[in-house]
Amino acid sequence: MSDRPVSDSKRGELSPTSHYFEEEDDQSMSNRPSSAQSRQAWNVDDDGSRDNQAFRDETDVPMPSAMEADDYGRVEKIDEDDEEGKENPNSCWSKFKNGLRCIWSTRMTEDTENDRELYIKTTIRELCIYTVFLIVLCIVSFGMTSETFYYYTKVMSELFLDSQFPDTKNTFRGMTTMQDFWRFSEGPLMDGLYWEKWYNEENVTETGYIFYENKLLGVPRIRQLKVRNDSCTIHDDFKNEITSCYDAYAESIEDKTSGKINGTAWTYQTTEQLDGSSHDGLLTSYSGAGYTINLARTKLASQAIIAELKQNLWLDRGTRAVFVDFTVYNANINLFCVIRLLIEFPATGGALPSWTFRTVKLIRYVTAMDYFIMACEGIFVLFIFYYCIEEVIEIKKHKLSYFKSFWNILDVLVIVISMICSIFNVYRTVKVGDMLEGLLDKPNEFPDFEFLGYWQVQFNNGIAVAVFFAWVKIFKYISFNKTMTQLSTTLGKCAKDLAGFAVMFFIIFLAFAQLGYLIFGTQVRDFRSFYDSIMTLFRIILGDFDFHELEAANRVLGPIFFILYVFFVFFVLLNMFLAIINDTYSEVKADLVNQKNEFEMGDYFKKGYNKMLQKLNLKRDKIVDLQKALTSADDDNDDKITFEEWRNDMKGRGFADSEIEAVFSKYDLDGNHVIDMDERIKMQEDLEGQKLAIDKEYEDITDKQNSKDRPRSSHATARKNSRAHSRRNSSRVSFNGEDSGDDSDDEDSGTRRSRGARVVNGVSYEEFTVLSRRVDRMEHSIGSIVSKIDAVLVKLEAMEKAKMKRRETMGKILDSITESDGGSDEGKKDQMEKLVREELERWDSQTSLGQSSSARGASPSGNPMAARNRRSRPSSGQNASSEV
């Protein structure tokens, strides 16, 4: 069936029989899809929006022509019979499953190796989704912290750690004796906990505030841990002189006996009774049990408690640790500060102070910003659920091979950390609410926020690790760019060399660490333990060291140790490590020069831009066909178009029945199956408006593209005009010769734009001209060298043949001598002389012939065959021209 419209005269001559067969043809045509030039569906909404999916189908899916209508109808019926048992791809269930599959489709779940466009789309979709996830994660993590945390910690720590004792001017940081603990308790501790007067000595109206802003929750608590008198063994020589012995702290030798006075301060309580938790000090780890005393809500009552404990020797030789715990809350900034001051009394005597200030936000949702963070946390949980399903699908498909990829292991790690943090977030919210309710009911008891404070800090650490891994994971999605793979490729290629170097390095490093620990461990703080020795040696590599302290500890071995360590580790091993990295990186950079990116993002968007323009052109052509149909469909010229007239004309233009009915019903406002003059005018106005909108959209897209491709400076334009002759050589350039033919239009347009900017694929035409000339000269030189090599090979072959002939001649001479044994000596001599002379004459003739032939065959370029091949081989410029 022709795509041209049927004329009015021919339509008037159709007989009833012809109409009957025409209807049959129309029915057969309704059973087939339209051709690639016809339309698939007219889907124009009332608001003028256009359906791009129809054009995607008609441009991407090849359709049979009109000449194949009958055969196609029969084939379609056969296909329908064969696929009766199969699922309908257009059903709601199929669309739902396909939608779910698209949501969780990744490069590991889809076959992207053979489909370049699918690989690009999947990569971009994964990158976009992950970018949103990363933004949400950063909002959640950074929304729960600020610089206020630091200043709050600084203020509270300076108050209790740097306040001086009244008599010795010492501070908590410099505490060295048990007497210093009592000085601290009677002075800075009482003054810091109880702010009952203003600076003008007037009483404050509300007590229980530190710095007048920080509410002291409940009352502070002091707890001590002791060891038994018989906890260590005394040598036999000193048993008569030394009757008591208190070992270093261990939970198994704790003193659990009750004191001489009634009260919690003299009664041992277990960890379960105190609902406490262990704590790591400077010397060892301490349990949550011990002897406890709660201070009062006023300064005077607390001073009386401290005085009583001091008077009755609450601390003795068996005391190994004293804890001072309290918690404050600042409503202005909605922050808690959980404070623990620890004084350890080692078995050597003296005192070692340490402290912990945990500034945490336990009440999370108060302000509007907090509720925004809560909404982001909900989105974050949805993302975790999304990625859990994604990883389960990938594990189901790839089984154990899934865990061979570093990025997959990183995905699982981020998901696990995020899930643990989400669970703790819920637990913390519930637990803090319960504790605050109990605190309000019992204000004179100690509220133990140490457990929540500790795990809140671990929660913050977990979120920090998750954020770190999440940022590193970006390399997984941008690895299509060769520049982004330099780090992983360099580490991967030098892994074996680094492993061998690491063995050698740590042998020497650990040897120095043990040597330093054994020599300086008793005198230098930085070498007091083997772990501290290792960390100190790492600091020396970075330039952080105290040579004079080592020299003072041992005047002979100190300098020797330092010089040897710096020489072997810093000057030798460290430079070997850098050499391995540098050599590998140089190889990687050299490989990347000739390596192409997996795909170019710009090419992909350029292809989408061209497809969009193509779809707009198809839309415009369809509107033009409809406008023409309005003028030609009125066969009887009565200013009215019936449905039959409209259908016949539109059929001739290649439209499908669904399109014909959709357009007619849209503009048949009164529903009488006739489009009158008013309806035709309205239809013409709508079509013209749509056409103008498409033209405007087309112009906007082209203007944006042209503005991007326009030269950015007048200087570049001047250089382009002054060197126009270089553009004539641009025809020899090959633009992306490895790309498929489908991208030829895009490449041509990109070539023209690049030529206008005087740069092609990052190389200017001037540089390309110089390079092409160099290549031509190189080809000429190589051709001359090849011709000389060919001549040498010919001579070597001739020499080999001459050797073979000489061997044959000598063999004949020997055979003739052996055959003439019965002759006289004179006869043999004459015969040998004759054969030798003949052979010499033959050699002389062959030599003269070879010289003459070589002289005749000599040419300016050497081997004539090489010259002929070189003349037949096109130059680099000709190759480039043919590719363009």
Side-chain angles (χ1 to χ4, degrees):
M1 182 176 181
S2 176
D3 290 338
R4 294 189 301 272
V6 182
S7 63
D8 297 341
S9 59
K10 288 185 178 181
R11 285 198 186 93
E13 295 173 359
L14 290 174
S15 62
T17 306
S18 300
H19 281 291
Y20 172 77
F21 286 108
E22 183 181 1
E23 292 176 359
E24 286 187 346
D25 292 340
D26 294 339
Q27 291 176 0
S28 66
M29 290 179 64
S30 64
N31 292 329
R32 67 169 179 85
S34 60
S35 65
Q37 294 153 349
S38 62
R39 282 56 179 167
Q40 178 141 10
W42 181 254
N43 193 5
V44 181
D45 299 331
D46 295 335
D47 57 353
S49 62
R50 292 172 295 278
D51 186 6
N52 291 331
Q53 182 63 34
F55 291 100
R56 186 181 300 110
D57 295 338
E58 70 183 21
T59 55
D60 297 341
V61 181
M63 296 298 180
S65 62
M67 298 298 293
E68 302 169 345
D70 298 335
D71 294 337
Y72 185 82
R74 289 192 294 270
V75 172
E76 187 179 25
K77 291 179 180 179
I78 295 173
D79 293 341
E80 290 177 356
D81 294 338
D82 294 339
E83 297 181 358
E84 285 181 355
K86 296 183 180 179
E87 186 176 350
N88 184 9
N90 295 325
S91 64
C92 296
W93 175 245
S94 298
K95 293 180 180 179
F96 176 74
K97 290 198 301 183
N98 293 334
L100 289 180
R101 181 179 179 183
C102 292
I103 293 176
W104 280 285
S105 62
T106 64
R107 287 175 292 180
M108 294 187 65
T109 59
E110 302 295 327
D111 185 14
T112 58
E113 295 182 359
N114 301 323
D115 193 338
R116 178 184 175 87
E117 186 173 357
L118 179 61
Y119 176 82
I120 297 174
K121 290 181 179 179
T122 305
T123 302
I124 295 176
R125 188 189 64 82
E126 285 188 82
L127 181 59
C128 293
I129 294 177
Y130 188 76
T131 302
V132 177
F133 166 75
L134 189 60
I135 292 173
V136 173
L137 177 59
C138 290
I139 292 175
V140 171
S141 57
F142 292 107
M144 66 182 185
T145 185
S146 66
E147 61 181 9
T148 308
F149 284 70
Y150 166 75
Y151 290 116
Y152 193 24
T153 303
K154 179 177 180 294
V155 168
M156 299 305 297
S157 61
E158 289 178 349
L159 175 62
F160 292 98
L161 302 181
D162 298 330
S163 297
Q164 296 181 346
F165 305 157
D167 49 353
T168 62
K169 304 301 181 182
N170 196 6
T171 62
F172 183 86
R173 298 177 189 269
M175 187 181 298
T176 56
T177 63
M178 193 173 291
Q179 180 63 28
D180 287 338
F181 168 75
W182 293 115
R183 293 191 183 101
F184 170 76
S185 300
E186 294 171 345
L189 181 62
M190 294 294 104
D191 296 337
L193 288 175
Y194 304 101
W195 293 60
E196 298 178 346
K197 293 181 179 295
W198 287 99
Y199 50 84
N200 59 358
E201 297 301 324
E202 291 185 4
N203 294 329
V204 297
T205 57
E206 295 183 6
T207 60
Y209 286 88
I210 299 175
F211 282 121
Y212 312 113
E213 301 290 346
N214 305 283
K215 176 66 176 177
L216 180 63
L217 301 180
V219 294
R221 185 182 69 180
I222 301 177
R223 176 172 64 96
Q224 77 159 322
L225 288 170
K226 304 171 67 175
V227 295
R228 298 192 306 267
N229 185 10
D230 59 348
S231 56
C232 57
T233 304
I234 303 175
H235 193 270
D236 294 338
D237 295 339
F238 292 97
K239 281 186 177 180
N240 296 329
E241 299 294 334
I242 302 175
T243 58
S244 59
C245 180
Y246 298 90
D247 200 357
Y249 174 81
E251 189 173 356
S252 59
I253 58 174
E254 283 185 0
D255 185 2
K256 303 179 181 180
T257 60
S258 299
K260 53 187 177 181
I261 303 176
N262 294 329
T264 58
W266 309 93
T267 304
Y268 178 84
Q269 300 182 64
T270 63
T271 303
E272 291 75 15
Q273 291 173 333
L274 295 177
D275 193 20
S277 58
S278 61
H279 180 85
D280 293 329
L282 296 177
L283 300 177
T284 185
S285 179
Y286 300 94
S287 69
Y291 302 86
T292 64
I293 182 66
N294 291 339
L295 300 181
R297 295 179 61 84
T298 62
K299 183 177 182 178
L300 185 61
S302 297
Q303 287 176 337
I305 295 174
I306 296 295
E308 181 182 0
L309 295 177
K310 180 180 179 181
Q311 183 66 29
N312 293 288
L313 295 176
W314 189 58
L315 303 182
D316 56 19
R317 290 182 58 191
T319 302
R320 289 293 173 260
V322 176
F323 297 86
V324 180
D325 297 306
F326 56 94
T327 303
V328 294
Y329 171 72
N330 191 312
N332 302 331
I333 55 178
N334 188 29
L335 291 179
F336 289 79
C337 188
V338 182
I339 301 172
R340 168 166 286 182
L341 305 177
L342 170 62
I343 303 93
E344 298 176 76
F345 300 97
T348 59
L352 297 175
S354 60
W355 52 87
T356 303
F357 291 83
R358 295 192 174 100
T359 301
V360 291
K361 188 175 182 179
L362 297 178
I363 303 177
R364 297 296 300 272
Y365 313 115
V366 177
T367 64
M369 185 62 185
D370 294 338
Y371 284 102
F372 171 73
I373 299 297
M374 182 178 67
C376 292
E377 290 175 351
I379 298 174
F380 176 75
V381 172
L382 293 179
F383 268 109
I384 295 302
F385 175 75
Y386 168 83
Y387 281 115
C388 284
I389 297 178
E390 179 180 293
E391 301 308 315
V392 168
I393 295 174
E394 292 180 357
I395 293 174
K396 182 179 179 182
K397 181 176 181 179
H398 297 278
K399 303 297 187 296
L400 294 179
S401 60
Y402 168 87
F403 296 97
K404 295 181 179 179
S405 173
F406 167 77
W407 299 116
N408 294 336
I409 297 176
L410 195 62
D411 291 340
V412 174
L413 188 61
V414 171
I415 291 174
V416 171
I417 294 175
S418 301
M419 292 179 66
I420 294 175
C421 292
S422 300
I423 295 173
F424 176 79
N425 193 23
V426 177
Y427 167 79
R428 187 243 355 270
T429 304
V430 176
K431 185 68 175 177
V432 170
D434 295 340
M435 290 188 66
L436 293 179
E437 291 179 1
L439 178 63
L440 296 176
D441 296 337
K442 301 176 181 179
N444 294 323
E445 292 187 1
F446 167 73
D448 191 0
F449 283 89
E450 175 65 23
F451 178 80
L452 275 180
Y454 172 80
W455 284 108
Q456 177 64 33
V457 172
Q458 306 311 313
F459 169 81
N460 297 340
N461 296 338
I463 288 292
V465 173
V467 172
F468 171 78
F469 286 146
W471 278 102
V472 173
K473 188 183 168 185
I474 292 181
F475 285 103
K476 173 183 178 181
Y477 300 105
I478 62 176
S479 59
F480 60 83
N481 188 290
K482 62 182 181 181
T483 305
M484 296 296 108
T485 61
Q486 292 183 72
L487 176 62
S488 59
T489 306
T490 302
L491 295 179
K493 284 193 173 183
C494 67
K496 293 183 179 179
D497 295 334
L498 289 180
F501 169 80
V503 174
M504 177 175 55
F505 174 82
F506 281 109
I507 288 175
I508 298 177
F509 185 83
L510 293 177
F512 275 103
Q514 296 178 41
L515 179 63
Y517 171 57
L518 296 176
I519 294 177
F520 310 111
T522 59
Q523 302 179 56
V524 181
R525 175 182 174 85
D526 292 338
F527 289 89
R528 64 185 181 273
S529 66
F530 184 66
Y531 170 78
D532 292 314
S533 299
I534 293 176
M535 300 309 297
T536 302
L537 293 184
F538 274 119
R539 289 165 51 196
I540 292 177
I541 294 178
L542 300 176
D544 180 15
F545 58 87
D546 188 352
F547 172 75
H548 297 291
E549 190 176 10
L550 297 179
E551 188 180 23
N554 194 314
R555 292 188 176 275
V556 177
L557 295 179
I560 294 175
F561 171 85
F562 181 79
I563 293 173
L564 290 178
Y565 177 78
V566 170
F567 175 76
F568 283 105
V569 176
F570 188 79
F571 288 108
V572 179
L573 292 178
L574 187 60
N575 284 283
M576 288 176 61
F577 173 77
L578 296 177
I580 293 173
I581 297 295
N582 288 333
D583 291 345
T584 308
Y585 181 71
S586 300
E587 295 176 3
V588 171
K589 288 289 291 182
D591 295 340
L592 290 179
V593 171
N594 301 320
Q595 179 182 344
K596 293 185 63 177
N597 294 327
E598 293 185 15
F599 67 86
E600 294 291 348
M601 194 73 70
D603 293 342
Y604 174 74
F605 287 111
K606 182 174 65 177
K607 186 181 295 183
Y609 160 77
N610 291 329
K611 285 185 177 181
M612 183 180 298
L613 293 182
Q614 183 181 5
K615 293 174 182 179
L616 291 177
N617 288 330
L618 291 174
K619 278 281 189 181
R620 190 179 186 282
D621 293 341
K622 181 179 286 188
I623 293 175
V624 171
D625 288 342
L626 289 174
Q627 290 177 335
K628 292 179 179 179
L630 277 177
T631 59
S632 62
D634 189 8
D635 294 339
D636 50 6
N637 296 324
D638 57 353
D639 295 334
K640 294 181 181 180
I641 301 176
T642 63
F643 179 74
E644 289 298 326
E645 292 175 339
W646 177 260
R647 183 172 179 273
N648 293 334
D649 192 279
M650 295 291 286
K651 277 289 187 179
R653 299 180 185 276
F655 284 80
D657 288 340
S658 58
E659 296 176 302
I660 298 170
E661 294 176 1
V663 175
F664 192 88
S665 60
K666 179 175 181 178
Y667 293 101
D668 184 16
L669 303 179
D670 51 8
N672 60 351
H673 298 284
V674 175
I675 296 179
D676 53 20
M677 184 56 68
D678 295 336
E679 294 171 341
R680 287 176 65 180
I681 293 173
K682 184 180 183 307
M683 183 177 180
Q684 183 68 29
E685 291 176 353
D686 290 349
L687 294 176
E688 189 64 27
Q690 295 176 20
K691 181 180 176 182
L692 293 175
I694 292 175
D695 291 341
K696 186 177 183 303
E697 185 176 357
Y698 186 90
E699 292 176 359
D700 292 340
I701 294 175
T702 53
D703 289 343
K704 289 181 181 178
Q705 187 66 22
N706 291 334
S707 64
K708 292 180 181 178
D709 300 329
R710 190 178 300 119
R712 295 186 179 181
S713 65
S714 58
H715 178 65
T717 306
R719 286 193 307 166
K720 178 183 68 175
N721 296 331
S722 63
R723 300 178 182 179
H725 66 277
S726 299
R727 290 199 301 271
R728 290 195 294 269
N729 296 328
S730 64
S731 60
R732 300 191 299 171
V733 183
S734 173
F735 295 92
N736 259 341
E738 298 179 359
D739 288 349
S740 60
D742 296 338
D743 303 336
S744 59
D745 297 338
D746 300 339
E747 293 168 357
D748 290 342
S749 61
T751 302
R752 289 191 293 271
R753 289 192 295 270
S754 300
R755 186 180 298 116
R758 295 193 52 77
V759 174
V760 177
N761 291 345
V763 179
S764 65
Y765 288 99
E766 293 79 2
E767 294 175 350
F768 175 78
T769 304
V770 175
L771 292 176
S772 62
R773 291 174 182 172
R774 291 180 181 176
V775 171
D776 291 339
R777 288 197 298 269
M778 188 180 296
E779 286 185 348
H780 181 76
S781 301
I782 292 174
S784 177
I785 295 172
V786 170
S787 64
K788 293 179 181 179
I789 294 174
D790 292 340
V792 172
L793 292 176
V794 170
K795 290 182 180 180
L796 290 175
E797 186 177 358
M799 292 174 62
E800 187 67 25
K801 291 181 179 180
K803 289 181 180 179
M804 294 297 294
K805 290 183 178 180
R806 290 173 188 173
R807 290 176 184 173
E808 293 177 359
T809 302
M810 296 303 297
K812 291 179 181 179
I813 293 173
L814 292 175
D815 292 340
S816 63
I817 294 173
T818 56
E819 290 176 356
S820 60
D821 290 340
S824 62
D825 293 336
E826 292 294 334
K828 292 180 180 179
K829 183 178 180 180
D830 295 339
Q831 186 177 5
M832 289 179 61
E833 184 179 357
K834 180 181 179 181
L835 292 173
V836 170
R837 288 184 181 280
E838 290 178 355
E839 185 63 25
L840 290 174
E841 291 176 357
R842 187 180 300 111
W843 289 355
D844 293 339
S845 61
Q846 288 179 355
T847 303
S848 61
L849 288 174
Q851 292 177 352
S852 61
S853 62
S854 62
R856 287 193 304 271
S859 62
S861 60
N863 193 352
M865 182 62 69
R868 183 167 57 254
N869 291 338
R870 186 167 60 255
R871 287 193 300 269
S872 62
R873 183 172 60 250
S875 65
S876 61
Q878 293 170 345
N879 284 331
S881 177
S882 62
E883 291 178 0
V884 174

